[in-house]
Amino acid sequence: MTGGRGAKVRAVRLAKAASLASLFALAVLLVVAAVRTVAVDAGAGLELARWEKIDYVSADLSGEQRAQLISNFREAIQIPTVSYSETSLNTTALRDFSKLLRKAFPAVFSSHLVTHEIVGEYSHLFWVAGSDLSLVPYMLLAHIDVVPANESDGWDAPPFSAKEIDGFIYGRGTIDDKQSVMGIMQALEYLLQRGYSPQRGFYIGLGHDEEVGGVAGAVSIVNALKERSVLLEFVLDEGLAVLDGIISGLNGPAALIGISEKGQATVKLSVSTPPGHSSMPPAEGSIGILAAAVKRLEDNPLPRLFGYGPERGTFEHLAHKFGLPLRFIMSNLWLFGPLLSRVMELRPETNAFVRTTTAITMFNSGVKVNVLPSNAEAVVNLRIHSAQTLKEVLDLIEATVADERVKIEVLGGFDPLPVSDYSNKAFGYQILKKTALEQFPQVTVAPGICVGNTDSRHYTELTKDIYRFAPTWFKPGDPQRFHGVNERISKKNYEEMVMFYFRLIQNCDVKDLAY
């Protein structure tokens, strides 16, 4: 009896000790989380440091110059450089665009500092020689081609009219990606007109087929540079932008610099069954079998991976700009990451940061109303999270389909792109951050992940640091204009883009980072 009572006492004591230990651990976690919430600002750093002095070329523009830069840009939008497929491009428009570049930027094409060549028939490669050969060159990328657009889809202005409405220029290519093409070239034109000579040499690559993979344009440019044994300090391409009011709960705009891209896979699922008459259907036909497989893919999304890729750095850099309780959560993703990922997966636009996404984009079968189809096909497009590989994703797809009657064929794909350095020692990232803060002092700069793909993915053999950012200003509703209806940019923002590249080129002349 005494022994039983003693055992109960010991059990109670152990339970109390365990409870106290749990409460103590919880208290410690909350204290650590609170301290991080108050103290952590991952975005602070080099913007407060001392930079090497630069004697900047004046960026003052006359009214006539402002009118001319808008006129040049509108003319670029009016040229329908549409890419329909790898083998179907508007080559007449591409030739017209080459003529426009020569007409709009005479200083670039006549300067002894600039070497220009046509690559892959319609792409452009420029080399701007620097005075200090010890400095590793960098490269600015943009693309000339655009996706198709039809006025009948509901445009407020014809998509290749470059019509101005309320201070905005409407047209296909205004935010993807002729604003970068013309912005980079216009900035260089102004610098050369003012007698500027760079210390650090740099390349400009203007691809002509990015919208269909960049195989003839970007790949040809890369091959030309590889033949010359060129290595680059960093590459800057399109990708992310300045987001103002886009991120719910964030106080102020954020300039997100893409440090990686999701991978991609296109998979075809197909089922073959004997044909027959619809009056004598089998228990399962080709359409039913395939539909069940597709439904399994939709009902079983790939695993949550939020926090295992660069998306974690995005929220840590932005945490101090959120109000409570979001700031508390964002500052402590080590604790709240799983909870946040469950919230983010509820919306398609944020679910893309949580996992590899699965999209059924095509489904084809049947030829006649009374004939059982012998074949059914579906195409699945997957955007691969940075923490996964193409092979891992394909293995998961096969395991989810789990039906030997469904043939799985990989039509194409590639792994996620390497994550570029965004530390305080990363030259390219910190120069971009410095330039963005000089141009837009009100923004918070943070690293980000591109859910789409760019020409820059072909440049991984030339540099370890590829960044994806253009200072296009996005407000609510603007992301839907990307590849959509009523694509537009404000005249003010386009001029800001020109000035961004004008400043960036000069900032790249520094030899060392701030100290």
Side-chain angles (χ1 to χ4, degrees):
M1 194 75 170
T2 304
R5 186 180 297 112
K8 287 181 180 179
V9 170
R10 285 193 298 271
V12 170
R13 287 175 177 172
L14 283 173
K16 288 182 177 179
S19 298
L20 287 172
S22 298
L23 288 172
F24 179 75
L26 179 59
V28 170
L29 285 174
L30 290 174
V31 169
V32 171
V35 169
R36 284 182 58 85
T37 301
V38 174
V40 172
D41 178 0
L46 295 187
E47 69 269 25
L48 303 176
R50 297 172 60 190
W51 285 86
E52 179 183 326
K53 188 176 184 301
I54 299 175
D55 294 322
Y56 289 107
V57 174
S58 172
D60 290 339
L61 298 179
S62 66
E64 183 180 350
Q65 286 175 317
R66 283 191 164 90
Q68 187 60 54
L69 75 85
I70 293 298
S71 176
N72 289 341
F73 180 60
R74 291 185 64 194
E75 193 169 349
I77 299 303
Q78 289 166 348
I79 302 175
T81 52
V82 177
S83 289
Y84 298 97
S85 69
E86 286 186 27
T87 57
S88 179
L89 311 174
N90 189 338
T91 55
T92 299
L94 290 170
R95 284 190 289 269
D96 289 342
F97 200 90
S98 294
K99 295 174 184 176
L100 171 63
L101 290 177
R102 290 184 177 275
K103 183 185 77 171
F105 309 118
V108 173
F109 284 89
S110 63
S111 173
H112 69 281
L113 296 172
V114 180
T115 303
H116 168 254
E117 59 188 293
I118 299 291
V119 180
E121 293 192 71
Y122 305 105
S123 290
H124 298 262
L125 175 61
F126 298 86
W127 162 244
V128 185
S131 59
D132 190 340
L133 299 181
S134 68
L135 300 179
V136 180
Y138 62 98
M139 190 165 190
L140 305 177
L141 302 181
H143 65 88
I144 297 165
D145 64 321
V146 299
V147 297
N150 296 305
E151 186 176 358
S152 59
D153 290 337
W155 285 72
D156 293 340
F160 296 102
S161 66
K163 183 178 180 180
E164 181 184 336
I165 303 175
D166 297 330
F168 287 86
I169 298 171
Y170 281 67
R172 180 63 85 222
T174 50
I175 59 174
D176 181 28
D177 181 39
K178 287 180 178 176
Q179 86 285 17
S180 295
V181 172
M182 299 300 286
I184 292 168
M185 295 298 291
Q186 190 71 69
L188 179 58
E189 177 77 5
Y190 286 151
L191 285 166
L192 294 173
Q193 286 177 352
R194 289 159 172 74
Y196 170 75
S197 178
Q199 294 184 59
R200 186 186 300 271
F202 62 96
Y203 293 91
I204 298 173
L206 307 179
H208 73 271
D209 62 342
E210 187 272 350
E211 297 292 0
V212 290
V215 175
V219 171
S220 296
I221 292 174
V222 168
N223 288 337
L225 295 177
K226 285 169 64 176
E227 289 175 2
R228 301 163 200 177
S229 301
V230 171
L231 293 177
L232 301 167
E233 181 70 42
F234 72 92
V235 165
L236 174 64
D237 197 2
E238 62 165 339
L240 300 181
V242 180
L243 307 183
D244 186 2
I246 303 294
I247 302 175
S248 180
L250 184 71
N251 297 320
L256 300 187
I257 299 173
I259 55 172
S260 183
E261 297 176 12
K262 296 185 81 171
Q264 188 176 161
T266 302
V267 177
K268 183 171 78 171
L269 308 180
S270 59
V271 175
S272 296
T273 57
H277 197 276
S278 62
S279 62
M280 297 175 286
E284 288 185 292
S286 60
I287 293 178
I289 295 169
L290 183 59
V294 166
K295 190 67 167 62
R296 285 193 293 276
L297 289 177
E298 291 190 328
D299 288 345
N300 297 278
L302 294 175
R304 299 183 195 91
L305 293 169
F306 180 78
Y308 294 94
E311 69 281 348
R312 179 168 184 161
T314 303
F315 289 94
E316 288 178 339
H317 277 70
L318 296 176
H320 66 291
K321 287 293 186 177
F322 284 94
L324 293 173
L326 284 176
R327 179 173 181 176
F328 186 74
I329 294 171
M330 300 300 183
S331 299
N332 296 282
L333 293 180
W334 58 278
L335 183 60
F336 295 109
L339 171 64
L340 185 61
S341 68
R342 287 182 177 273
V343 174
M344 292 178 66
E345 71 179 357
L346 298 177
R347 296 173 59 187
E349 59 267 33
T350 49
N351 182 53
F353 297 97
V354 172
R355 57 166 49 87
T356 295
T357 54
T358 307
I360 316 301
T361 56
M362 299 176 69
F363 199 112
N364 297 306
S365 187
V367 293
K368 199 170 185 289
V369 67
N370 63 346
V371 175
L372 297 173
S374 59
N375 295 293
E377 295 181 349
V379 175
V380 184
N381 185 252
L382 302 117
R383 299 302 173 109
I384 304 172
H385 190 278
S386 295
Q388 282 184 312
T389 65
L390 174 61
K391 183 181 184 306
E392 289 170 346
V393 168
L394 295 177
D395 288 344
L396 287 169
I397 293 298
E398 187 172 344
T400 303
V401 170
D403 190 335
E404 293 182 352
R405 297 171 297 178
V406 180
K407 180 182 177 183
I408 301 175
E409 180 183 354
V410 181
L411 301 181
F414 50 86
D415 285 328
L417 276 292
V419 177
S420 299
D421 189 4
Y422 59 98
S423 70
N424 282 0
K425 296 181 180 179
F427 181 86
Y429 183 85
Q430 294 301 337
I431 289 293
L432 290 169
K433 180 178 179 179
K434 169 181 167 63
T435 308
L437 289 170
E438 289 170 343
Q439 182 72 41
F440 308 110
Q442 71 273 40
V443 306
T444 303
V445 179
I449 176 78
C450 288
V451 296
N453 297 115
T454 69
D455 268 347
S456 67
R457 68 186 175 90
H458 299 295
Y459 286 77
T460 54
E461 293 184 59
L462 303 183
T463 182
K464 63 180 180 61
D465 288 327
I466 298 174
Y467 304 103
R468 303 141 182 102
F469 173 75
T472 313
W473 203 279
F474 280 4
K475 293 192 174 184
D478 287 336
Q480 289 72 34
R481 301 178 192 274
F482 192 87
H483 282 200
V485 174
N486 287 329
E487 185 178 346
R488 68 181 190 179
I489 190 172
S490 71
K491 293 196 298 182
K492 177 178 178 289
N493 189 201
Y494 175 64
E495 184 175 321
E496 289 170 338
M497 293 196 65
V498 173
M499 292 298 101
F500 173 86
Y501 293 116
F502 187 91
R503 189 79 164 193
L504 174 66
I505 291 170
Q506 295 180 80
N507 280 338
C508 286
D509 280 341
V510 301
K511 296 181 181 180
D512 300 303
L513 289 176
Y515 56 95

